[in-house]
């Protein structure tokens, strides 16, 4: 203990001698900028003016109400040497490109509204406008996918966002940080999941800053508190070396509006009264964002016959933000970026200490996770779902020496939308002001499309090569709207997995807890008994449908339908979440028994498997 103390005292002394910071923050930014080029004073002054004007314009739109725009409730000291310095350098060096990628679910994809009015689009328009005078070209990529959990996507930041990303903004409002991770405890739980995501992002060439975006319409919530606690506690070192922040869109920014609003208000449905903190269900007034009864852009042209359906004054529609809510979130994110540019510029010329930002610390909460073992990467990742900025796709990992008949295509739900949106809408032709046309126009404005490699028993095997250095392969099927169509292959029973033509000895089907997505984990080191042959392994999947549900029950000795906790008969165990009708079947051993309803027989030859994501490590 004494020795340890002595060492740390020495280290501290050395550190303080080296880093005589006039201002910890300004010094890093100045060093970063100086390292890259010499900022001349006229350029800096011009840039400062432009950023100031951009902020002023945004503030004016909210009548000078700074609080409603200031959603950044927490930021680490590392935001200066990363985001602020980057923006200052771009602003004073005559421009360049600033790339933002948005991650998340239906909230960010813009469902219940339009893709082009979702907050990333608002952010993109606003930043492009305000940063154009500086010569900065802004690209905001909305990479969110409705109904997709944080994992495995949180391990695929590079391919999904693009390796040139400068800022990653992550919303996953209705999920926990570790959702989608099998056995989260083995990865360090929620903190581990946050750390894995951060490492995946910080390993990219531009070391992007990461902002978590939480909606929190009832006031600051658990997720903001969780990230703040992690970044102030266990994961502090990441925040010192990299930029991490939290935006709480309807939390703190709305506190003053909550306080000023009458106790009893009009529910957003308009049909009853309401009270309480929830500004989503119970708006603060006729102007739900405190200042406007409609957003700048409704999503349809002002002269569109659909305009009356646009519900402009809604901060929320169902559990998603409405167009006005999206506008608020996009503007708050733009405000945070412009503020970062402003601090970066203000810090220029304050000192000249080399920046220590940027080296990845040893894993902390995720130290047991295989995804944190390497300092080069968290996992290799291939995805078929769109949007995705870069390869690899699942297709890039295939061994096509024996031609596969599996194809990369939209999933069943994706296909419906593809077909629906490919043709001009008949509804719109018939009733241009009708609900059907409104529905068409919205659904066909989204960018997310669930895709997968898909094949039947007739399509032969799908054969994977391993990325160099990996001995584990983890393949997953895509999500479905609610229950799984009966024609989708059941990986527990209908997927044959071979390694170099031999039956796999170390493959497990994974379907955790309440999850309905099935995955297969292939542990090649265990299969071979060594790691030597992983690089040349060929992992092949093929579909081998069960003859019928009755045949499966007879051969497995298990039941498709069982009594659920609610006392009803439901598909359970291996067939959990399938769209299979179940009915009571008298009593067996003094307990209620269940059977599946004999409906149309399942056609084995059309049973189809979908593989949407592949991880390797
Ligand atoms: C293998 O074939 C599939 C299906 O035609 C294709 O999508 C994929 O890109 C191919 N992969 C390679 C590595 O050639």
């Amino acid at each position: 203990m004494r020795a340890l103390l002595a060492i740390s005292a020495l280290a501290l002394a050395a550190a303080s001698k080296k880093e005589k910071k006039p201002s910890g923050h300004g010094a890093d930014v100045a060093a970063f900028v100086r390292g890259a080029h010499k900022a001349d004073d006229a350029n800096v002054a011009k840039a400062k003016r432009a950023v100031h004007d951009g902020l002023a314009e945004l503030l004016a739109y909210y009548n000078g109400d700074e609080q409603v725009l200031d959603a950044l409730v927490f930021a680490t000291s590392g935001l200066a040497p990363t985001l602020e310095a980057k923006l200052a350098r771009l602003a004073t060096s005559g421009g360049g490109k600033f790339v933002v990628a948005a991650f998340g679910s239906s909230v960010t994809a813009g469902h219940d509204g339009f893709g082009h009015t979702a907050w990333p689009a608002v952010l993109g328009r606003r930043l492009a406008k305000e940063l154009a005078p500086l010569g900065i070209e802004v690209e905001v990529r909305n990479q969110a996918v409705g109904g997709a959990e944080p994992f495995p996507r949180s391990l695929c930041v590079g391919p999904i966002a693009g390796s040139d990303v400068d800022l990653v903004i992550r919303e996953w409002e209705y999920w926990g940080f570790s959702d989608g991770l099998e056995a989260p405890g083995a990865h360090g739980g929620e903190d581990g999941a946050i750390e894995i995501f951060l490492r995946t992002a910080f390993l990219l060439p531009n070391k992007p800053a990461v902002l978590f975006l939480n909606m929190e319409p009832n006031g600051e919530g658990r997720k903001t508190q969780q990230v703040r606690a992690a970044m102030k506690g266990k994961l502090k070192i990441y925040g010192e070396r990299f930029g991490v922040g939290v935006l709480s869109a309807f939390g703190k920014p709305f506190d003053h509006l909550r306080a000023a609003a009458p106790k009893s208000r009009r529910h957003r449905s308009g049909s009853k009264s309401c009270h309480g903190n929830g500004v989503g269900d119970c708006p603060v007034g006729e102007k739900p964002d405190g200042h406007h009864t409609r957003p700048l852009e409704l999503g349809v042209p002002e002269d569109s016959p659909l305009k009356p359906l646009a519900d402009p004054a809604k901060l929320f529609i169902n559990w998603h933000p409405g167009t006005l809510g999206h506008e608020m979130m996009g503007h708050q994110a733009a405000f945070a970026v412009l503020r970062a540019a402003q601090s970066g510029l203000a810090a220029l010329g304050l000192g000249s200490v080399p920046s220590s930002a940027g080296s990845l610390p040893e894993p902390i909460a995720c130290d047991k996770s295989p995804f944190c073992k390497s300092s080069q990467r968290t996992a290799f990742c291939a995805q078929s779902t769109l949007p995705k900025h870069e390869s690899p796709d699942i297709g890039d990992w295939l061994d096509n020496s024996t031609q596969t008949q599996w194809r990369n295509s939209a999933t069943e739900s994706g296909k419906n939308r593809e077909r629906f949106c490919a043709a001009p809408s008949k509804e719109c032709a018939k009733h241009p002001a009708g609900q059907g046309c409104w529905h068409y126009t919205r659904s066909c404005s989204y960018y997310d499309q669930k895709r997968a490699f898909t094949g039947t028993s007739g399509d032969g095997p799908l054969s994977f090569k391993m990325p160099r250095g990996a001995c584990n392969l983890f393949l997953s099927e895509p999500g479905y709207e609610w229950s799984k169509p009966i024609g989708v292959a059941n990986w527990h029973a209908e997927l044959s997995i071979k390694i170099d033509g031999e039956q796999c000895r170390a493959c497990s089907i994974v379907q955790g807890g309440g999850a309905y997505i099935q995955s297969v984990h292939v542990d090649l080191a265990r299969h071979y008994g060594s790691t030597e042959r992983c690089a040349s392994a060929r992992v092949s999947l093929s579909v081998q449908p069960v003859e019928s549900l009755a045949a499966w029950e007879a051969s497995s000795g298990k039941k498709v339908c069982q009594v659920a906790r609610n006392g009803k008969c439901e598909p359970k165990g291996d067939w959990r979440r399938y769209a299979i009708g179940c009915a009571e079947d008298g009593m067996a051993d003094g307990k209620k028994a269940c059977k599946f309803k004999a409906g149309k027989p399942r056609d084995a030859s059309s049973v189809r498997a979908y593989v949407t994501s592949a991880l390797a490590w």
Side-chain angles (χ1 to χ4, degrees):
M1 189 64 190
R2 274 249 309 266
L4 202 70
L5 277 176
I7 288 168
S8 58
L10 263 179
L12 268 177
S16 66
K17 219 179 275 165
K18 246 194 317 191
E19 302 180 37
K20 241 189 233 120
K21 295 189 180 180
S23 124
H25 168 173
D28 280 345
V29 178
F32 189 98
V33 174
R34 281 227 182 82
H37 77 121
K38 256 194 139 32
D40 82 63
D41 291 347
N43 256 348
V44 175
K46 189 175 140 236
K48 279 184 177 169
R49 231 175 302 125
V51 171
H52 173 270
D53 291 351
L55 282 165
E57 195 174 355
L58 204 45
L59 270 167
Y61 182 59
Y62 293 94
N63 306 310
D65 180 354
E66 194 175 319
Q67 183 170 341
V68 84
L69 276 168
D70 190 7
L72 188 68
V73 293
F74 172 73
T76 69
S77 59
L79 210 61
T82 54
L83 188 62
E84 295 180 12
K86 194 173 295 180
L87 285 160
R89 188 183 56 182
L90 282 171
T92 55
S93 65
K97 196 163 174 182
F98 182 67
V99 179
V100 185
F103 277 71
S105 63
S106 54
V107 165
T108 294
H111 295 183
D112 276 337
F114 296 96
H116 52 271
T117 53
W119 68 263
V122 176
L123 169 66
R125 277 193 286 273
R126 180 58 69 156
L127 275 188
K129 175 165 178 268
E130 308 301 0
L131 295 180
L134 304 164
I136 300 178
E137 186 197 333
V138 176
E139 185 174 339
V140 178
R141 300 173 186 153
N142 185 346
Q143 308 303 76
V145 175
E149 312 176 286
F151 283 91
R153 297 179 72 75
S154 292
L155 284 161
C156 312
V157 181
I160 293 175
S163 45
D164 57 347
V165 69
D166 298 301
L167 169 63
V168 172
I169 309 184
R170 171 192 164 124
E171 164 277 320
W172 249 299
E173 181 76 12
Y174 298 108
W175 272 273
F177 292 104
S178 67
D179 284 353
L181 259 184
E182 180 53 25
H187 301 277
E190 296 287 276
D191 284 352
I194 294 173
E195 188 179 10
I196 291 170
F197 176 70
L198 291 177
R199 290 177 78 87
T200 311
F202 297 153
L203 278 162
L204 294 174
N206 287 357
K207 296 176 180 162
V210 172
L211 297 180
F212 292 83
L213 168 58
N214 302 321
M215 294 204 292
E216 310 188 324
N218 299 304
E220 184 175 300
R222 193 176 52 87
K223 288 182 85 175
T224 289
Q225 287 156 9
Q226 250 175 332
V227 177
R228 190 193 278 121
M231 299 316 299
K232 283 191 165 175
K234 255 190 207 162
L235 305 183
K236 189 159 192 263
I237 190 165
Y238 286 93
E240 288 164 358
R241 297 184 186 179
F242 300 92
V244 181
V246 180
L247 299 165
S248 171
F250 306 104
K252 181 163 155 280
F254 277 69
D255 279 349
H256 63 307
L257 299 174
R258 277 188 192 92
K263 276 223 151 48
S264 174
R265 309 189 292 276
R266 252 320 70 202
H267 187 264
R268 69 170 178 196
S269 63
S271 60
K272 54 182 177 189
S273 68
C274 63
H275 55 90
N277 281 337
V279 299
D281 286 341
C282 191
V284 292
E286 302 269 292
K287 297 175 172 174
D289 70 349
H291 303 276
H292 306 99
T293 53
R294 57 156 287 173
L296 290 168
E297 300 215 13
L298 295 171
V300 292
E302 295 293 329
D303 59 0
S304 163
L306 293 172
K307 188 177 167 184
L309 297 175
D311 245 350
K314 290 254 159 71
L315 210 53
F316 275 74
I317 293 175
N318 301 326
W319 56 92
H320 296 133
T323 313
L324 190 65
H326 275 291
E327 181 181 79
M328 183 83 259
M329 293 162 75
H331 281 162
Q332 289 169 333
F335 189 74
V337 172
L338 290 171
R339 272 280 183 83
Q342 190 178 45
S343 332
L345 289 165
L348 289 180
L350 286 182
S352 62
V353 180
S355 163
S356 62
S359 71
L360 202 65
E362 289 296 310
I364 301 163
C366 66
D367 62 335
K368 302 278 187 308
S369 167
F371 302 132
C372 295
K373 286 260 154 64
S374 156
S375 57
Q376 315 298 314
R377 78 187 83 83
T378 48
F380 297 100
C381 167
Q383 296 257 321
S384 286
T385 281
L386 299 174
K388 164 183 70 185
H389 196 71
E390 286 173 7
S391 53
D393 191 277
I394 296 274
D396 297 312
W397 286 12
L398 296 181
D399 172 13
N400 282 342
S401 55
T402 52
Q403 275 241 324
T404 182
Q405 296 303 313
W406 290 55
R407 286 293 172 263
N408 182 345
S409 78
T411 62
E412 297 205 356
S413 57
K415 219 176 241 139
N416 290 341
R417 202 164 89 200
E418 208 175 31
R419 261 196 299 269
F420 181 60
C421 298
S425 161
K426 285 189 199 124
E427 287 285 345
C428 290
K430 254 195 291 179
H431 306 288
Q435 283 291 344
C437 181
W438 173 242
H439 174 64
Y440 175 92
T441 311
R442 282 185 310 165
S443 343
C444 300
S445 75
Y446 307 136
Y447 312 117
D448 55 325
Q449 187 190 47
K450 292 194 180 97
R451 297 184 67 85
F453 260 83
T454 177
T456 63
S457 58
D459 290 334
L462 184 70
S463 187
F464 286 84
K465 307 179 280 211
M466 296 295 289
R468 192 159 295 280
C471 270
N472 289 273
L473 184 65
F474 194 86
L475 306 172
S476 302
E477 63 170 355
Y480 306 91
E481 311 262 89
W482 180 240
S483 41
K484 193 182 290 190
I486 184 72
V488 175
N490 188 330
W491 292 23
H492 292 290
E494 304 184 305
L495 207 58
S496 152
I497 307 151
K498 293 197 165 149
I499 316 288
D500 312 327
E502 267 183 61
Q503 211 60 46
C504 178
R505 293 184 291 274
C507 290
S508 44
I509 304 298
V510 174
Q511 183 177 8
Y516 69 133
I517 290 174
Q518 299 178 340
S519 301
V520 57
H521 176 202
V522 183
D523 183 340
L524 289 171
R526 202 151 63 79
H527 173 83
Y528 290 126
S530 91
T531 58
E532 279 156 34
R533 290 163 63 189
C534 296
S536 60
R538 288 295 175 271
V539 179
S540 300
L541 308 185
S542 46
V543 180
Q544 287 183 353
V546 297
E547 217 180 288
S548 65
L549 293 180
W552 177 83
E553 286 194 339
S555 68
S556 68
K558 296 192 243 178
K559 297 283 278 177
V560 173
C561 293
Q562 298 165 36
V563 182
R565 221 178 297 166
N566 62 12
K568 292 196 182 124
C569 287
E570 283 177 6
K572 277 189 67 176
D574 290 0
W575 295 89
R576 178 153 42 94
R577 300 292 291 265
Y578 268 88
I580 295 174
C582 293
E584 288 184 26
D585 188 24
M587 305 288 281
D589 304 331
K591 284 193 217 130
K592 185 154 90 181
C594 302
K595 63 176 178 192
F596 60 87
K597 288 185 195 157
K600 214 169 63 184
R602 192 167 178 259
D603 171 17
S605 67
S606 64
V607 166
R608 191 169 268 294
Y610 295 88
V611 181
T612 193
S613 99
L615 294 174
W617 65 91

